[in-house]
Amino acid sequence: MFAFLEDLILRAATAWWTPLALFILCFIDGFFPIVPSESLIVALAAIADRENTVGLTTLFFVGWFGATLGDQVAFRLGRAIGVTRFRWMRSRRVAGIVQLARRSLHRNGALLIITARHVPGGRVAVNFVAGATGYAWWKFSLLDFVSAGVWAGYSIAIGVLTTGWLDNVLLQIVVALIFAGLLGLLIDFVARKVVARISSTPAQAPAEVIRPAGFSEDSSENGHGSNVRGRSGIDSQE
């Protein structure tokens, strides 16, 4: 049974269509986050030392560009749909979350876009809200391009770190995925803390203009008018 599965995995890993399938899965994962693209990259990287398997360079660029294009779809969906089209989006709770995300993006966009990728569901949510709230496309694209590259490199590094631990291909992949899961939990915990800290940081209030006691716009206008009239009266008396 294990020999059959090992042979099946190796056949799939050495097939010509594997890089194309990986690209499609990474692309879909950018806006439909139930596709295990990261696990696939980790698994392929863990057995990259086997003969005729997908090379690490190919894995990196396929994962990088596939994820980047998928993120662009999420951003464009947010830009097209917006945050008020559906009734549930106009609820007080959702509107408050959107406003919080808008402030966080415009205040710490780089850190939020890069960190949210490691929070389950956070990547798609942040990219969608970035598009929906009018975040600059060129800035998002630049930050997301870097973030996707970091993600692809990180996924490959996990697989490479476990390469050669076991001779059995199936067990090698299982160990790599367990290691990725444990490391993912740690990164997820840290990323959530960072995102929560970004979101809870109060925006700077505008500088308060100091005015004399009893000052108001109406009184200033009336006072100015009375001063003018009073001055005219004095001049006329003189």
Side-chain angles (χ1 to χ4, degrees), residues 52-112:
N52 297 326
T53 54
V54 182
L56 295 179
T57 303
T58 302
L59 278 179
F60 175 72
F61 283 106
V62 168
W64 186 7
F65 294 145
T68 300
L69 290 178
D71 293 341
Q72 288 291 331
V73 172
F75 182 87
R76 291 297 176 184
L77 285 174
R79 185 62 58 89
I81 296 175
V83 292
T84 58
R85 174 167 297 187
F86 303 108
R87 178 177 297 177
W88 62 269
M89 291 180 169
R90 297 191 292 270
S91 67
R92 180 175 299 179
R93 184 173 181 272
V94 174
I97 294 174
V98 170
Q99 285 293 87
L100 183 62
R102 185 201 303 268
R103 290 196 300 268
S104 301
L105 277 168
H106 286 272
R107 188 167 60 245
N108 297 293
L111 188 58
L112 186 61

Side-chain angles (χ1 to χ4, degrees), residues 11-232:
R11 285 178 180 274
T14 57
W16 65 268
W17 46 262
T18 299
L20 178 60
L22 176 63
F23 178 87
I24 294 174
L25 290 175
C26 290
F27 172 73
I28 296 175
D29 196 26
F31 55 91
F32 194 59
I34 63 169
V35 180
S37 59
E38 182 176 336
S39 300
L40 185 57
I41 293 177
V42 171
L44 289 173
I47 58 173
D49 61 333
R50 308 281 174 157
E51 187 177 359
N52 297 326
T53 54
V54 182
L56 295 179
T57 303
T58 302
L59 278 179
F60 175 72
F61 283 106
V62 168
W64 186 7
F65 294 145
T68 300
L69 290 178
D71 293 341
Q72 288 291 331
V73 172
F75 182 87
R76 291 297 176 184
L77 285 174
R79 185 62 58 89
I81 296 175
V83 292
T84 58
R85 174 167 297 187
F86 303 108
R87 178 177 297 177
W88 62 269
M89 291 180 169
R90 297 191 292 270
S91 67
R92 180 175 299 179
R93 184 173 181 272
V94 174
I97 294 174
V98 170
Q99 285 293 87
L100 183 62
R102 185 201 303 268
R103 290 196 300 268
S104 301
L105 277 168
H106 286 272
R107 188 167 60 245
N108 297 293
L111 188 58
L112 186 61
I113 290 173
I114 292 175
T115 341
R117 179 177 293 275
H118 302 284
V119 177
R123 164 191 176 187
V124 178
V126 168
N127 295 344
F128 181 89
V129 172
T133 56
Y135 195 77
W137 174 79
W138 67 268
K139 187 185 295 186
F140 168 81
S141 299
L142 179 61
L143 293 172
D144 183 71
F145 190 71
V146 174
S147 175
V150 172
W151 169 80
Y154 149 81
S155 302
I156 290 174
I158 294 175
V160 170
L161 284 175
T162 61
T163 298
W165 287 10
L166 298 169
D167 292 331
N168 185 279
V169 172
L170 182 59
L171 293 179
Q172 176 69 46
I173 292 176
V174 170
V175 168
L177 292 178
I178 292 175
F179 184 75
L182 294 175
L183 186 59
L185 288 175
L186 176 61
I187 293 177
D188 176 36
F189 175 78
V190 175
R192 286 182 185 275
K193 293 291 184 181
V194 172
V195 172
R197 186 177 182 85
I198 293 172
S199 302
S200 62
T201 303
Q204 293 183 348
E208 183 180 356
V209 179
I210 300 176
R211 302 183 186 278
F215 178 88
S216 68
E217 295 295 334
D218 294 337
S219 63
S220 64
E221 293 177 0
N222 296 334
H224 177 71
S226 61
N227 289 340
V228 172
R229 290 192 297 270
R231 181 66 186 171
S232 300

